[in-house]
Amino acid sequence: MKDLIELEPTHVGDSVFDGAPEVHVIRRSLYIPFHENRESCGLYYIHKEAVEDSVPKRFMNSIIDISNNNPSKTYSDIYWGGYLDPHYGHFCIETLSNLWGYKKGQKILFHTLFGIDQLLSLPWVSYYFQFFGIERDNILEVSGTSSIKNLTFSKPSFKINEYIYDCFPEFLQKTKYEKRNTFCLKKKIIYVSRRGLKSGTYSITNESLLEDNLQKKGVTVLRVGDIKLEDQTSMFDNNIIISFSGSFLHNSIFVKNSKGICYCVDEIHSPEFSRKTFHMLDYSSKALFKYFIVDVNKSDAEAGFGSSFLIKNIKDLVEHMLVTAETMRSI
């Protein structure tokens, strides 16, 4: 396809580590719940130094001054769950990466701006909590500055653009295979469409035309909103998944040796922009993914989306998808 650019994988071998990161018990710690201005909140040692890696860097406190925060309540024997992100993609790779050391029945504390019941109303949060054995009664909600005795702190097994431990994909894949696989399609080329989403980073205004052309060529077309959560991971098993870049592709980490093709509308919405993140996930799961930037025109943003794009030559793109997918089948 004219003007289609393939993105070469970023070297990530030195950022993928064997086994699991350390787990230790912080005998005495101080926790201040998340609040709107994000200042002076989070997890601290008792001497009031922030606990490193307790939350993603983008949520690190802008002001570290908690000298006047005195605990109003004391808790004990808690597992630190890290930041609970309501965004599906970040939830999969950041929230879940903290749970590899969680033992069923432990009390768990999440750092979040939202109420737990509000978060559990999100289908993926309630599904994966059940998936990993986290029950509502296990989740601790803290309303004020609190002292915690014996907090189990597991270093995240994955950090965006920085590192990944083998235990993260192994933990997800092992748990997935203990669940019943309800997705029946095998050895298919499946295009996952963004069409039908009500909001997001971007939309593709002529994606319906792309769907029609792919279906005429025998490609199975599914829309993200119509795929059951339990199938969003299972469908990567023995199929070649094609999609534009987005949170959906993070599901591939649940399946070892998955194969897929990711198309990007520009560098901002590509693995090149997020540097090593996608490539670390692929490398650690022994996945085979190819990444391409497609020739598009930017159009007026549709309601609910940050930007919108128009694919210039759909027939050429369809041909590229088919040829690339057939090539990957033989690898």
Side-chain angles (χ1 to χ4, degrees), residues 15 61 74 132 157 168 205 226 248 279 303 307:
S15 300
N61 305 327
T74 299
F132 296 114
S157 54
F168 182 39
T205 56
D226 295 333
F248 176 81
H279 301 304
S307 52

Side-chain angles (χ1 to χ4, degrees), residues 78-144:
I78 305 296
Y79 184 93
W80 177 251
Y83 178 65
L84 205 171
D85 200 313
H87 179 276
Y88 182 74
H90 285 285
F91 175 82
C92 283
I93 61 176
E94 291 189 293
T95 300
L96 296 186
S97 68
N98 284 294
L99 301 183
W100 65 272
Y102 177 77
K103 300 293 189 296
K104 188 174 180 178
Q106 284 181 293
K107 290 289 185 180
I108 187 168
L109 174 63
F110 291 101
H111 190 53
T112 180
L113 182 60
F114 306 92
I116 294 300
D117 289 325
Q118 180 183 357
L119 290 164
L120 287 173
S121 69
L122 297 173
W124 55 89
V125 175
S126 58
Y127 173 75
Y128 282 113
F129 278 9
Q130 182 182 22
F131 198 74
F132 296 114
I134 300 175
E135 298 179 1
R136 175 64 183 88
D137 290 344
N138 300 140
I139 304 171
L140 181 67
E141 285 193 90
V142 174
S143 58

Side-chain angles (χ1 to χ4, degrees), residues 14-222:
D14 57 356
S15 300
V16 180
F17 302 112
D18 295 335
E22 64 273 12
V23 179
H24 64 278
V25 175
I26 302 175
R27 296 302 177 191
R28 298 177 67 200
S29 58
L30 191 68
Y31 175 64
I32 304 173
F34 211 130
H35 45 79
E36 290 287 354
N37 59 18
R38 299 180 184 171
E39 296 175 356
S40 303
C41 64
L43 183 65
Y44 296 83
Y45 293 105
I46 198 65
H47 54 270
K48 299 181 180 179
E49 176 186 349
V51 177
E52 186 179 7
D53 292 332
S54 58
V55 293
K57 283 186 176 178
R58 64 186 182 279
F59 295 118
M60 290 297 286
N61 305 327
S62 56
I63 298 176
I64 309 299
D65 180 11
I66 60 170
S67 56
N68 294 322
N69 284 274
N70 296 313
S72 58
K73 197 167 183 179
T74 299
Y75 299 90
S76 60
D77 302 319
I78 305 296
Y79 184 93
W80 177 251
Y83 178 65
L84 205 171
D85 200 313
H87 179 276
Y88 182 74
H90 285 285
F91 175 82
C92 283
I93 61 176
E94 291 189 293
T95 300
L96 296 186
S97 68
N98 284 294
L99 301 183
W100 65 272
Y102 177 77
K103 300 293 189 296
K104 188 174 180 178
Q106 284 181 293
K107 290 289 185 180
I108 187 168
L109 174 63
F110 291 101
H111 190 53
T112 180
L113 182 60
F114 306 92
I116 294 300
D117 289 325
Q118 180 183 357
L119 290 164
L120 287 173
S121 69
L122 297 173
W124 55 89
V125 175
S126 58
Y127 173 75
Y128 282 113
F129 278 9
Q130 182 182 22
F131 198 74
F132 296 114
I134 300 175
E135 298 179 1
R136 175 64 183 88
D137 290 344
N138 300 140
I139 304 171
L140 181 67
E141 285 193 90
V142 174
S143 58
T145 301
S146 302
S147 173
I148 302 175
K149 296 179 179 179
N150 300 327
L151 177 79
T152 301
F153 181 81
S154 302
K155 182 181 174 70
S157 54
F158 172 83
K159 285 185 73 175
I160 288 178
N161 297 326
E162 293 190 27
Y163 65 77
I164 188 169
Y165 281 84
D166 287 342
C167 74
F168 182 39
E170 289 172 359
F171 155 66
L172 298 179
Q173 291 160 15
K174 179 183 177 183
T175 309
K176 175 198 169 294
Y177 282 114
E178 291 174 353
K179 302 290 183 179
R180 188 165 64 91
N181 185 350
T182 61
F183 194 73
C184 298
L185 297 178
K186 298 293 180 186
K187 298 182 179 179
K188 300 288 186 180
I189 299 173
I190 301 176
Y191 176 74
V192 179
S193 172
R194 297 172 61 87
R195 198 157 75 93
L197 294 177
K198 296 180 180 179
S199 63
T201 309
Y202 69 94
S203 65
I204 301 168
T205 56
N206 58 345
E207 195 167 14
S208 60
L209 186 57
L210 176 60
E211 289 180 10
D212 292 342
N213 278 265
L214 285 168
Q215 287 175 326
K216 288 176 183 177
K217 296 291 185 177
V219 175
T220 300
V221 174
L222 301 174

Side-chain angles (χ1 to χ4, degrees), residues 176-177 181-192 218-220 222 227 231-242 248-249 252 255-261 287-289 325-326 328-329 331:
K176 175 198 169 294
Y177 282 114
N181 185 350
T182 61
F183 194 73
C184 298
L185 297 178
K186 298 293 180 186
K187 298 182 179 179
K188 300 288 186 180
I189 299 173
I190 301 176
Y191 176 74
V192 179
V219 175
T220 300
L222 301 174
I227 307 171
D231 290 341
Q232 290 192 16
T233 56
S234 298
M235 67 185 300
F236 282 87
D237 194 5
N238 290 315
N239 292 304
I240 295 176
I241 306 300
I242 304 174
F248 176 81
L249 290 176
S252 67
V255 177
K256 193 173 182 179
N257 300 316
S258 57
K259 293 182 179 182
I261 309 168
L288 175 62
F289 270 79
E326 290 297 339
M328 293 181 75
R329 272 181 167 168
I331 299 176

